[in-house]
């Protein structure tokens, strides 16, 4: 399995990164996990724009899904004719949400380009991957994703506050992409995001191999987030996500 960070900024694009997006590849199959604002520009640095076989959207906040609207343009109006229709997995209202965002008619428009399929808690087969989803602790319908291929496992938290379900989902993962959107301070709103310390605590409880902190808000100091995670008690390697970083396992 090969994972490339396409975007890792939280809530909105930062000066060095678009919003959330990750490319997962195995056996010639390419899947995007989230497609936040700015992701399509960054994707073209690392992968063929139209060489995507499936997309999974963790939830419908713009920093995780909005570039699906411009990706619809790329696949529909490319010079050689429309690209093949691909599946898009996401919360139950994904199609309506994205069609409304681009002010399109419901049919056929975007659904001619994307085969929208609802995510539900549990496993689903996507190309060579087994993707297991669980609902996270966030104000909207939001999923964490466990992706398995031939004994290799990565888990992506999506957006979440403290979650025992995330610990269960990430159990024994080789790679744990975990959000750390909040700086550690006493006035944090509940049930929304994790701090670096909390990401480390979830990683330790899950027994993961490597922790990569992502969904890094541009106004926070990433070095402080990293220090919090390293002081959390997590005993494995931990690092900050960066655009272009590649993990193979």
């Amino acid at each position: 399995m090969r994972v490339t960070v396409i975007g890792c900024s939280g809530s909105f694009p930062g000066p060095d990164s678009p919003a959330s997006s990750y490319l997962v590849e195995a056996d010639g199959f390419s899947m995007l996990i989230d497609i936040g604002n700015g992701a399509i520009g960054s994707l073209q640095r690392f992968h063929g724009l139209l060489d995507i076989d499936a997309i999974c959207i963790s939830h419908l906040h713009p920093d995780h899904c909005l570039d699906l609207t411009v990706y619809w343009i790329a696949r529909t109006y490319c010079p050689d004719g429309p690209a093949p229709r691909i599946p898009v997995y996401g919360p139950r209202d994904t199609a309506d949400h994205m069609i409304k965002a681009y002010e399109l008619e419901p049919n056929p428009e975007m659904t001619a380009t994307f085969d929208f399929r609802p995510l539900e808690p549990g496993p689903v087969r996507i190309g060579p991957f087994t993707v297991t989803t669980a609902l996270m602790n966030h104000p909207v319908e939001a999923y964490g994703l466990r992706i398995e291929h031939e004994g290799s496992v990565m888990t992506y938290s999506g957006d979440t506050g403290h979650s025992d379900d995330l610990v269960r989902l990430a159990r024994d993962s080789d790679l744990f992409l975990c959000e750390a959107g909040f700086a550690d301070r006493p006035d944090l709103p509940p049930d929304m995001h994790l701090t670096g310390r909390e990401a480390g605590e979830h990683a330790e409880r899950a027994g993961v191999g490597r922790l990569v902190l992502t969904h890094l808000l541009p106004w926070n100091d990433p070095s402080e987030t990293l220090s919090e995670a390293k002081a959390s008690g997590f005993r494995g390697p931990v690092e900050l996500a960066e655009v272009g970083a590649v993990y193979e396992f």
Side-chain angles (χ1 to χ4, degrees), residues 47-114:
H47 197 72
L49 179 62
L50 303 179
D51 297 331
I52 298 296
D53 300 297
I55 299 171
C56 275
I57 294 174
S58 65
H59 66 290
L60 297 178
H61 283 156
D63 58 322
H64 294 261
C65 71
L66 194 58
D67 259 28
L68 191 69
T69 58
V70 294
Y71 195 46
W72 170 74
I73 295 172
R75 294 192 73 91
T76 303
Y77 296 109
C78 50
D80 296 329
R85 191 172 184 239
I86 62 171
V88 175
Y89 297 81
R92 57 185 176 273
D93 295 329
T94 298
D96 291 343
H97 188 91
M98 302 314 301
I99 288 166
K100 186 181 295 184
Y102 206 83
E103 296 191 352
L104 295 172
E105 294 298 323
N107 287 301
E109 298 288 6
M110 198 174 284
T111 55
T113 301
F114 300 128

Side-chain angles (χ1 to χ4, degrees), residues 80-158:
D80 296 329
R85 191 172 184 239
I86 62 171
V88 175
Y89 297 81
R92 57 185 176 273
D93 295 329
T94 298
D96 291 343
H97 188 91
M98 302 314 301
I99 288 166
K100 186 181 295 184
Y102 206 83
E103 296 191 352
L104 295 172
E105 294 298 323
N107 287 301
E109 298 288 6
M110 198 174 284
T111 55
T113 301
F114 300 128
D115 177 13
F116 290 98
R117 303 180 185 183
L119 285 177
E120 295 179 350
V124 61
R125 188 77 177 174
I126 304 177
F129 303 112
T130 298
V131 180
T132 303
T133 67
L135 286 167
M136 295 291 100
N137 193 7
H138 204 54
V140 299
E141 181 186 359
Y143 292 93
L145 307 173
R146 179 185 177 95
I147 302 168
E148 301 178 69
H149 176 261
E150 294 184 351
S152 298
V153 183
M154 70 157 285
T155 298
Y156 170 53
S157 68

Side-chain angles (χ1 to χ4, degrees), residues 48 106 225 227 245:
T225 301
S227 294

Side-chain angles (χ1 to χ4, degrees), residues 5-249:
V5 178
I6 303 300
C8 53
S9 186
S11 297
F12 55 93
D16 301 313
S17 175
S20 296
S21 189
Y22 308 89
L23 177 66
V24 185
E25 301 172 273
D27 296 346
F29 190 92
S30 299
M31 178 171 63
L32 276 180
I33 305 299
D34 282 344
I35 187 168
N37 36 339
I40 291 305
S42 179
L43 174 65
Q44 294 171 77
R45 296 169 52 192
F46 308 107
H47 197 72
L49 179 62
L50 303 179
D51 297 331
I52 298 296
D53 300 297
I55 299 171
C56 275
I57 294 174
S58 65
H59 66 290
L60 297 178
H61 283 156
D63 58 322
H64 294 261
C65 71
L66 194 58
D67 259 28
L68 191 69
T69 58
V70 294
Y71 195 46
W72 170 74
I73 295 172
R75 294 192 73 91
T76 303
Y77 296 109
C78 50
D80 296 329
R85 191 172 184 239
I86 62 171
V88 175
Y89 297 81
R92 57 185 176 273
D93 295 329
T94 298
D96 291 343
H97 188 91
M98 302 314 301
I99 288 166
K100 186 181 295 184
Y102 206 83
E103 296 191 352
L104 295 172
E105 294 298 323
N107 287 301
E109 298 288 6
M110 198 174 284
T111 55
T113 301
F114 300 128
D115 177 13
F116 290 98
R117 303 180 185 183
L119 285 177
E120 295 179 350
V124 61
R125 188 77 177 174
I126 304 177
F129 303 112
T130 298
V131 180
T132 303
T133 67
L135 286 167
M136 295 291 100
N137 193 7
H138 204 54
V140 299
E141 181 186 359
Y143 292 93
L145 307 173
R146 179 185 177 95
I147 302 168
E148 301 178 69
H149 176 261
E150 294 184 351
S152 298
V153 183
M154 70 157 285
T155 298
Y156 170 53
S157 68
D159 283 7
T160 186
H162 178 87
S163 173
D164 292 337
D165 286 336
L166 177 58
V167 172
R168 286 188 284 270
L169 192 70
R171 182 75 62 198
D172 296 330
S173 294
D174 300 290
L175 176 68
F176 185 28
L177 290 171
C178 188
E179 75 118 287
F182 278 160
D184 205 356
R185 61 177 197 264
D187 60 338
L188 296 175
D191 304 334
M192 191 173 293
H193 295 296
L194 298 173
T195 66
R197 173 183 56 80
E198 290 170 329
E201 290 170 350
H202 281 67
E204 178 64 20
R205 290 175 59 200
V208 306
R210 176 183 295 273
L211 171 62
V212 177
L213 304 170
T214 191
H215 199 268
L216 304 169
L217 269 68
W219 55 49
N220 289 339
D221 182 344
S223 65
E224 291 185 4
T225 301
L226 181 61
S227 294
E228 291 172 11
K230 288 183 173 180
S232 68
F234 175 60
R235 290 171 288 180
V238 56
E239 62 198 81
L240 298 170
E242 295 183 359
V243 172
V246 175
Y247 303 92
E248 295 187 83
F249 48 96

